[in-house]
Amino acid sequence: MKDFQYAAPTTIQAATSLLTEHGSGARILAGGTDIIVQLREGLREADIVVDIKKIPELRECQYSDESGLCLGAAVTCCEIYEDADLAGRYGALADSTHIIGGWQIQSRASVGGNLCNASPAADTIPALIVLNAEAQVTGPNGQRTIAADAFCTGPGINSLVDGEFVVAIQIPPQSASMGSAYQRFIPRNEMDIAVVGVGSWIELDADGNIANARISLGAVAATPLFAVEASQFLVGKEPSDDNFAEAAELAKQIATPITDMRGTAHYRTHLVGVLVKRTLTTALARAQA
Amino acid sequence: MATTPYRVIGTRPVRHDGADKVTGKAVYTADFKLPGLQAGFVLRSPHPHAKIVSIDTSAAEATAGVSAVVTGADFPNVQDKIAQLGEGSVNLAHLSANCMAKDKVLYKGHAVAAVSATNAHIAEEAAAKIVVEYEMLPSVTDIMEAMADDAPLLHADLFTDDLGQKADTASNVAVHMHFEKGDVAAGFEQADVVVEAEFKTATVHQGYIEPHAIVADYNEDGRVRLWTATQGSFTCRQQTAEILQIGVGDVLVTPCEIGGGFGGKIAVYLEPTAAILSKKAGRPVSILMTRTDVFEATGPTPASFMRVKVGAKNDGTLIAGEAWIAYDAGAFPGGVIGPGCMCVFSCYDIEHAVVDGYDVCVNKPHTKAYRAPGATQVAFAMEQLMDELAEQLDICPLEIRMKNAVKEGSRRVDGPVYPQIGYVECLEALRDSDHWNSPLTGDNRGRGIAGGFWFGCGLKSSAACSVNSDGTINLLEGSTDIGGSRASLAMQLAETLGIESSDINPMVGDTDSVGYTDVTGGSRVTFATGLAAYEAGRDLQSQMKVRAAELWECETNDVSIADDGTFSGNGKTAGFKDLATQLFSSGEALVGRATVAPECPTNGFAAHIVDVEVDPDTGKVTILRYTAIQDAGTAIHPSYVEGQMQGGAVQGIGWALNEEYFFNDDDQMTNASFLDYRMPTMLDVPMIDTIIVETGNADHPYGVRGVGEPPIIPPPPAIGNAIYNATQTRMRELPMSPPKVWQAMQSSD
């Protein structure tokens, strides 16, 4: 491991100046559960590691029925799933934060970090995509927002430019007629990386039919995918097993997985169908509850 | 529970090393520091098979902070010589070349150079400056491909030892062995039903939690001192001395606490390298492996290809068996094919049987023993075929096993005739268990059973006990303690002398301070070192009889020792501690000693029962309930016997369900971490229930049999049988991971 400097700024401005000054030589640390491992194993290098979790705004977590959830980028996984109100509203997010690593990891790892690390198999990103989340980004040229489904551009690559970092993740408010779920398939029951991950979100209309739906797939392409056609197919439909099965078939069509030690392309595509049906079923139950 | 004649044996005292372990004070090798200690780093081959054209270490040597650089050229030339390591043997020239490559690298991860420096980061950066020029060679990791005539050859000088005859052309097949009893052709002619199938198992690693580590100090007087995690201090000393070409007396091995071995910490890897670095640096050197190093360069245990055929009569009596077994040896000859051949039919009395075994070199790390080495692979085949026979004959799987189970007088295919053994008793305990008698209900669920056998060995062990002035004892013994053996040895000595386990301070000695003791392996320590502790106690008692006679003014023969250890003579009596205290003030100190070398195997048997649920959509197997049954002879400390049974079962479950080495198209291992090499976690296994069977063992004063190894054998076939019971899909390949089970279920629909 190469020597590097460490800085822990306490304001957004100070962080922006450090990141701008060091450009591509700077790496951001929030929980550190990915970057520390990557630095140790030589997968990434850094001249300076900028710890952003001492910035108060990044540790804030606020919800209102008007603006929804504003999740500071360094808020940890367990702070989300241990908040019963949040976990109830954002089922998919609670599901995904609950299964990343073990307790120790969940007490450090942040959703913002999971998004920025941009792993194709990241557990929170399909959840963020189906919940229609946006990343609030700040940088030397001011602020901008990036939709969750556009945030990742390749394995380990995101759309931030040098000097930019995610301050918060904004997620629309949730009403009682909405429900969401995330599930992944792993060969073991914990401490594993998704062979396939699927997030689903459903909004029901007054008749109990599907007013709106969003489905997202992880670990079956270079980035997490928003399954547009599968999602749109469900709009206006009855939430039946047959319709879920049809949506699952449509979702399978956009999967372009690789064959590796975690599963063959054929098996992964099959699992997309299984998990789309299962997550839609759970999301429906939560929307009906 | 039956009444026991014992006072200490069979109880569950707190282990002597317990407080240190749970408070983190126990000293493992990585905790051990010396003044001026240098950090070592080993540079490893990225290629599975290549000729080393040149190595340029100049830039590394010129790096500030670097104290030494070594390559294969710094290692003495070692002639071919076979060294016995207790459980298995090794060719020392191969061992040396495995520690540091000479002219060729034979697997990804093969050590090619090493650097020591003032800290680990400098050593790693300097090692990155070493320029190794490789000439790539074609590689092979699949056993059957490696056996083909046109396979890439790992060793130009390897000629198959074919039943004792050397072949005249080089090959990757190191050995062909053959065992036979009866007339197999005639046997199959008598069979009413014959089942035959091919089975494959993947390369798996022992997975001990502590990576290999070493501290070496090559002293100015020519003595090498090593602090290390090893299963055998004396075999570590022997191997290191042979590779360095110095006398065994010039090497001192101090065993640190050890975080698991399972057969993988018998051979040396880092010791000679650290010693040579230390000699060049003039300072002590430590080297710590990473988990990736451990996966890529140590262990693992063989992958296998097996074709097994079994014939039975209509009443279920086995009449003939035939097995063709090939195990991969990894980069150098000398895998565990021998015990594999001996174990394939070891649980059943088969009149006619033949076994052919092949030891095959491939471009993987040199394979090593792993808990009942070689037995788990063959059990995966044989114990599933037993169920297939039972199904065809419409007999209960337990009944067909009971009918054919080996017992006293049964002869194994490799020759030995069993003395009194406990397989039938294990199967009876299974039959009477709550698990077997609880119906299994629910969709996609199934139950399976399987048996397993492991020899258990004797070998050499030494112990000495020094009596303190208050009658407590310091017990010095030579077996590194992996599974609670300090407690089980102290308990046997306490039983012998009539004192408490807590009156004894057991300590694992270094190679300068205790008599020669073979490895902690072969399930031998509680048996053989336990026998040494018992004999040392007896030695102490006979000395004390003489001294008591002097004290009590009578003849030695007038002094007797009761079963509870009380001495009596001339109308006087004294317990052990009382007499020891009196004797301390009346003359010489009391030291008992013993060294033993029992030659008899202890013959351990196990039978397991498992319930599974298979997810029909994903092929994922969930273990619902598990019961392990085993004959311990006598359980000295039942908690540690149960712990061995549970640990072995969990390792077997991992081997069955998810563990495997993945190789990419370039024959490089791609999952060398605990993330993608999937051992079971807490959430992957239920409570493993245990039933200890105690049939005794006439070859040990307290009836001990080895217990460490048998429990890893039954899980893969028991789970395979349970999957079949749940899905009507027969799995013939390990691991039975979700994609493979799902695929097999698709194919069998």
Side-chain angles (χ1 to χ4, degrees), chain A residues 1-3 40-41 185-193 195 260-264 266-267 270-271 274 278, chain B residues 121 124-125 615 617-618 620 658 662 670-671 674-684 738-739 742-743:
Chain A
M1 182 172 66
K2 210 177 88 173
D3 279 354
R40 283 180 69 128
E41 295 186 352
F185 180 79
I186 52 173
R188 287 188 297 207
N189 290 318
E190 61 170 331
M191 310 298 278
D192 220 325
I193 301 271
V195 177
D260 69 1
M261 62 212 169
R262 294 181 188 139
T264 62
H266 177 58
Y267 183 62
H270 164 75
L271 288 175
V274 173
R278 289 181 180 182
Chain B
H121 301 296
E124 184 176 350
E125 279 188 48
D615 183 336
D617 294 335
T618 65
K620 183 167 170 173
N658 278 305
F662 280 97
T670 58
N671 63 325
F674 276 147
L675 180 61
D676 283 309
Y677 180 90
R678 294 184 168 82
M679 299 186 77
T681 70
M682 286 289 286
L683 295 186
D684 298 311
W742 177 75
Q743 193 64 53

Side-chain angles (χ1 to χ4, degrees), chain B residues 317-625:
Chain B
T317 306
L318 300 185
I319 185 76
E322 185 179 305
W324 188 99
I325 307 164
Y327 283 3
D328 86 49
F332 297 97
V336 298
I337 185 63
C341 291
M342 298 176 201
C343 285
V344 60
F345 298 131
S346 58
C347 288
Y348 303 103
D349 208 337
I350 308 178
E351 197 176 335
H352 309 284
V354 60
V355 182
D356 285 281
Y358 299 85
D359 186 47
V360 186
C361 290
V362 297
N363 294 110
K364 293 180 188 174
H366 187 201
T367 60
K368 293 295 185 307
Y370 176 20
R371 208 168 189 160
T376 305
Q377 292 94 327
V378 290
F380 179 63
M382 180 61 188
E383 288 289 317
Q384 289 207 91
L385 289 175
M386 288 298 285
D387 267 38
E388 293 183 52
L389 273 178
E391 186 183 31
Q392 290 202 22
L393 293 166
D394 198 22
I395 300 176
C396 164
L398 175 56
E399 193 187 325
I400 196 168
R401 287 175 171 83
M402 299 270 269
K403 190 175 184 71
N404 294 286
V406 284
K407 46 185 90 67
E408 184 170 358
S410 303
R411 192 167 78 79
R412 272 205 321 262
V413 66
D414 55 309
V417 174
Y418 286 119
Q420 175 260 326
I421 51 175
Y423 189 39
V424 170
E425 287 81 353
C426 287
L427 293 170
E428 287 169 350
L430 189 154
R431 179 196 64 204
D432 298 338
S433 68
D434 178 67
H435 190 166
W436 182 251
N437 291 293
S438 304
L440 178 65
T441 57
D443 292 340
N444 306 309
R445 293 181 168 191
R447 175 170 292 170
I449 62 169
F453 159 79
W454 186 251
F455 313 87
C457 61
L459 303 176
K460 291 188 185 67
S461 280
S462 303
C465 42
S466 310
V467 182
N468 297 315
S469 60
D470 59 357
T472 60
I473 286 182
N474 301 328
L475 168 63
L476 185 68
E477 44 92 5
S479 291
T480 57
D481 181 358
I482 307 182
S485 54
R486 270 168 290 196
S488 70
L489 303 180
M491 288 173 71
Q492 291 181 67
L493 181 59
E495 185 74 48
T496 309
L497 296 177
I499 57 178
E500 299 303 320
S501 164
S502 56
D503 291 326
I504 296 171
N505 303 314
M507 180 186 170
V508 182
D510 62 45
T511 54
D512 277 7
S513 64
V514 67
Y516 183 90
T517 300
D518 272 308
V519 293
T520 297
S523 302
R524 62 174 290 277
V525 171
T526 298
F527 168 72
T529 313
L531 179 63
Y534 166 85
E535 294 288 356
R538 284 277 180 253
D539 181 39
L540 200 53
Q541 284 177 323
S542 49
Q543 294 177 40
M544 288 170 73
K545 271 173 84 165
V546 174
R547 298 278 299 280
E550 291 168 7
L551 188 70
W552 291 337
E553 297 177 331
C554 61
E555 295 299 315
T556 303
N557 286 343
D558 296 335
V559 178
S560 63
I561 306 171
D563 283 349
D564 67 356
T566 305
F567 291 80
S568 307
N570 202 14
K572 302 192 174 68
T573 66
F576 176 85
K577 287 174 79 173
D578 183 14
L579 180 61
T581 306
Q582 293 180 50
L583 293 177
F584 188 81
S585 52
S586 74
E588 307 87 8
L590 290 163
V591 179
R593 55 162 291 282
T595 183
V596 300
E599 288 177 356
C600 42
T602 66
N603 297 314
F605 285 87
H608 290 191
I609 168 170
V610 60
D611 295 345
V612 305
E613 182 170 321
V614 183
D615 183 336
D617 294 335
T618 65
K620 183 167 170 173
V621 175
T622 301
I623 309 289
L624 301 171
R625 185 173 181 184

Side-chain angles (χ1 to χ4, degrees), chain A residues 6-57:
Chain A
Y6 169 84
T10 55
T11 66
I12 290 174
Q13 291 82 345
T16 305
S17 338
L18 274 170
L19 294 173
T20 306
E21 181 191 338
H22 292 277
S24 61
R27 291 284 164 202
I28 299 168
L29 179 147
T33 57
D34 282 314
I35 190 68
I36 290 173
V37 176
Q38 290 162 356
L39 291 171
R40 283 180 69 128
E41 295 186 352
L43 301 172
R44 292 192 200 265
E45 285 195 352
D47 300 324
I48 183 169
V49 169
V50 180
D51 184 346
I52 55 166
K53 67 176 166 294
K54 307 283 166 67
I55 303 170
E57 292 93 324

